[in-house]
Amino acid sequence: MADLVDADGKLLLPSDRTRIAETVAAWVERYVPAAWIEAAPHGRAAIREVRSRAAYEAWYPVFGRSGLVAATWEPEYGGLGLSRAEARSADAVLRPYNLGRLNPLGLGNAAPALFAHGTDAQKLRFLPPIVRNEEFWCQLFSEPGAGSDLASLATRAERDAGGDWLVTGQKVWTTWGFRADFGVLLARTDPDRPKRRGLTYFLLDLRQPGVEVRPLRTMTGEAEFCEVFLERAFVPDAHRVGAVGDGWKVAAATLSGERQMVSGAGSGGVDRIGGSGIAHLLALARRISAEGRPGGWDEPSVRQELMRLYSEERIRAWTNDRVRAGLQAGRPPGPESSIGKVHQGELNQRMQALAAELLGAYGQAWDAAAEADYEDTLPHEVKGMLRSRANTVEGGTSEVNRTILGERVLGLPREPDPWLDSAWRDVPRS
């Protein structure tokens, strides 16, 4: 296999497609640093010891150019055009090396909307840089007065003399907004129409005058969320996705992708929802017992709770596999992703609460230098427990997602809305 990649670094697929796994394994051997490969059999913790975040980000362009980041996407969009089965075969080879996908909000939130509603020009312009992590993305939906009732948002987009758009308003809880180059933006373009029919979906360049990003620090000490202020920020009409007034329909693809991304095991999402999975809890419980401390694996009640959580996490992974299979078959994520969102939000909170409980007194006080940053000294399990409190709110509250499931999956009558057909400007708002 002398020629594994083309001149642009993209993996050359074998003529015999049954040899996909063999080809990917050869790519790993040649392009993944040797120290990472040597650490892989010992687990993710061992990989993290030899691979810093900065080192991974510096190497990531090699991965991004290969096409393996989004292998089922067509080559012109940065993928390899693999079938679902072929992509599973490739992923099985990559999995031991913990090659996480960077730019998760680009891959999980912007891309579904572009695939479902974007023009060919938009897909060719934005998807390849998303795959290569050359342009980092965020989501500009929620506002101080429009969280669970997102359709009531007040950020305005108005046409200028040339037919382009000027956006004014405020967004909040924007994850990684301080890092982002672009954001998917939902704005009101017609206040005289009902709230869901007067919205339009845009792709906003955040590196321009008229955009101010302010980080929001949370109780974990992190500042991953932001508030974003827009004052006549410019958006060319070519960066409008879907028809004017169809933003709610376009946003559905992004929202479903977001719910899938934070749906837990097997979701292919990010690890920012708080804490570690059940494997970490099992290892922690065994270590506590091995050290002779109470409340570990040797106690039947602890084992019972761990097995309950283990079973739920496996069910979560299988359900996510079904959703992911639909995505790989070219179908946008639908209301079924709300099942994963509701289940995982509450499951992760219980899992991280147990992790902190297993620590006992060690989870209530710990040694730290007086000058050390709070975020850096916080035990991993305590940080995960604190971060997980947002799980039932972010990505759509559990209450909203249960309503979606009732109406769109179970077919129950829609929740009454006396203002459903009223113009947005006439609807009472807080």
Side-chain angles (χ1 to χ4, degrees), residues 23 44 76 113 124 134 148 189 224 285 309 319 352 395 428:
T23 303
R44 294 189 174 189
E76 60 265 33
L124 288 170
E134 293 172 352
S148 296
T189 48
E224 67 178 39
L309 294 173
T319 302
Q352 305 317 319

Side-chain angles (χ1 to χ4, degrees), residues 195-257:
K195 59 184 181 181
R196 288 177 177 81
R197 283 177 266 165
L199 301 172
T200 303
Y201 191 107
F202 299 98
L203 309 176
L204 174 71
D205 181 354
L206 276 83
R207 309 294 186 180
Q208 63 165 303
V211 178
E212 181 183 358
V213 180
R214 301 179 188 171
L216 294 168
R217 191 166 298 277
T218 67
M219 61 183 173
T220 64
E222 298 174 304
E224 67 178 39
F225 300 117
C226 303
E227 51 185 350
V228 180
F229 297 86
L230 306 170
E231 184 62 42
R232 296 178 64 81
F234 177 76
V235 183
D237 192 56
H239 290 182
R240 169 177 50 82
V241 181
V244 175
D246 273 355
W248 190 250
K249 179 173 67 175
V250 181
T254 289
L255 292 170
S256 293

Side-chain angles (χ1 to χ4, degrees), residues 73 104-118 139 141 150 184 186 201 203 241-242 246-262 323 327 330-338 395 401 404 408:
W73 294 9
L105 299 185
L107 293 167
N109 294 22
L114 286 167
F115 275 120
H117 302 282
Q139 179 175 303
F141 281 13
L150 177 61
V184 291
L186 203 57
Y201 191 107
L203 309 176
V241 181
D246 273 355
W248 190 250
K249 179 173 67 175
V250 181
T254 289
L255 292 170
S256 293
E258 179 185 31
R259 291 167 190 141
Q260 163 64 8
M261 188 178 67
V262 295
V323 176
L327 294 174
R331 297 190 298 272
E336 66 272 15
S337 60
S338 292
N401 279 293
I404 293 172
R408 298 179 59 189

Side-chain angles (χ1 to χ4, degrees), residues 17 21 23 42 53 73 100 103 129 180 213 229 235 266 271 277 286 289-290 307 313 373 420 427:
R17 298 294 280 262
T23 303
H42 305 289
R53 173 77 178 192
W73 294 9
N103 207 359
V213 180
F229 297 86
V235 183
D271 59 358
R286 292 190 175 101
S289 289
M307 289 303 99
E313 189 171 84
D373 287 341
L420 181 64
V427 178

Side-chain angles (χ1 to χ4, degrees), residues 79-90:
L80 292 170
L82 298 188
S83 68
R84 187 175 63 192
E86 291 168 344
R88 281 201 304 266
S89 179

Side-chain angles (χ1 to χ4, degrees), residues 93 149 223 269 314 414:
V93 176
D149 185 15
R314 293 308 307 148
R414 289 186 62 88

Side-chain angles (χ1 to χ4, degrees), residues 398-408 415:
S398 291
E399 291 79 8
V400 167
N401 279 293
R402 284 189 171 93
T403 298
I404 293 172
L405 292 173
E407 295 176 356
R408 298 179 59 189
E415 185 174 304

Side-chain angles (χ1 to χ4, degrees), residues 173-188:
W173 307 122
T174 304
T175 303
W176 298 320
F178 56 89
R179 295 179 54 192
D181 302 294
F182 285 91
V184 291
L185 169 75
L186 203 57
R188 188 161 305 282

